Amino acid sequence: MEHEVFVPVPAERLREVLDDPARVARAVPGLQQDAGAEPVAGRLKIRVGSHSVTYRGAVRVSRRDDGSYAVEGEAEESRGSGSVELTLRIALRDAEDGCTVTYDGTASADGRITDLPTEAVEGAVTRLLNRFAEHLATAATQDANGTDGTDRTHDERAGAGAGAEEQTPADLGLTEEPPAPERPSAFGADRPAPSHGPEDEEDEEEDDEDIAEAAHARRTMIGRSAEEVDHAPPRGRYAPVPAPQTVSPPAPLRWAAPAAALAVASAIVAVRALRRRR
């Protein structure tokens, strides 16, 4: 397997990232690191066409004497008995406005990956290597911008502070505005004292009652839903007058009159019968 990728980052910056295993682990696309394991160890899901295979394993990256990097790794399927072994060599070659990342190595696998089309597997591996190189370049660029950007921001702030100390409001064209004239207050004007008569006192009492009723209505509406408030009957002077209720006698009194009439009629009949016998 051979593959090349161009990245717009100097080779020396990429070497700094490859020398740090933690940054290499962050550059592997889709790697979920295991807590307490090696820096480049965890789970990796590879999508091949419409299928996906998840592997769990570890990768070791070491620098060689010639400046290239050796990558060795092995992994097993999370759901299955398949496994993968990888031996890869990564070389960095300077190029105009960046460098070229060259991959050269071999891989052996068994399990589900062998049942998938060869072209789809090669496309998935190529896509994985391209994204890995892009992530390495991104990590190197962020580190460079972070250091330079911090220094530049500190210098800009220092220069702005010095310039602000030297300038004065007069230099900036700022002048104090004259205070606005005070407006005459209506409370200070001479007005005749209002005269209150009996009618005015009655109106004030009615207003006080309206205010008290409104306050009571607000207190009863607090904590109630909108539906309950909409369907709640009005209170106060606007409350509906209840309809007069007809008083109906209780059940025992209802049967008292017929019973008394029956008793009187029975007594009359008995008296007449006794008279006839005599």
Side-chain angles (χ1 to χ4, degrees), residues 55-78:
Y55 291 95
R56 180 184 295 274
V59 175
R60 294 171 295 277
V61 181
S62 58
R63 188 170 183 174
R64 295 182 175 179
D65 297 336
D66 58 353
S68 61
Y69 292 85
V71 180
E72 297 179 356
E74 54 275 339
E76 297 180 355
E77 293 182 6
S78 298

Side-chain angles (χ1 to χ4, degrees), residues 199-266:
E199 298 179 357
D200 297 337
E201 293 179 358
E202 294 179 0
D203 295 341
E204 290 181 358
E205 293 178 358
E206 293 180 358
D207 295 341
D208 295 340
E209 293 178 359
D210 295 342
I211 294 174
E213 292 178 2
H216 177 70
R218 284 196 299 271
R219 286 194 299 271
T220 56
M221 290 181 183
I222 295 175
R224 303 170 64 185
S225 63
E227 184 177 357
E228 292 177 349
V229 173
D230 293 341
H231 296 283
R235 298 185 179 183
R237 64 172 63 182
Y238 300 104
V241 179
Q245 298 180 357
T246 57
V247 180
S248 59
L253 296 179
R254 186 182 303 174
W255 296 102
L262 180 61
V264 172
S266 300

Side-chain angles (χ1 to χ4, degrees), residues 157-179:
R157 290 180 179 177
E165 293 177 358
E166 294 176 359
Q167 293 178 347
T168 60
D171 298 336
L172 298 175
L174 300 178
T175 58
E176 297 183 358
E177 297 181 357

Side-chain angles (χ1 to χ4, degrees), residues 101-148:
V101 182
T102 303
Y103 300 100
D104 183 9
T106 58
S108 59
D110 56 3
R112 294 178 55 193
I113 198 74
T114 57
D115 299 334
L116 302 177
T118 304
E119 295 181 357
V121 174
E122 293 179 355
V125 173
T126 301
R127 183 168 58 254
L128 181 64
L129 296 177
N130 291 339
R131 294 180 60 190
F132 177 65
E134 293 175 358
H135 291 181
L136 290 176
T138 302
T141 304
Q142 289 178 352
D143 295 341
N145 292 341
T147 304
D148 298 340

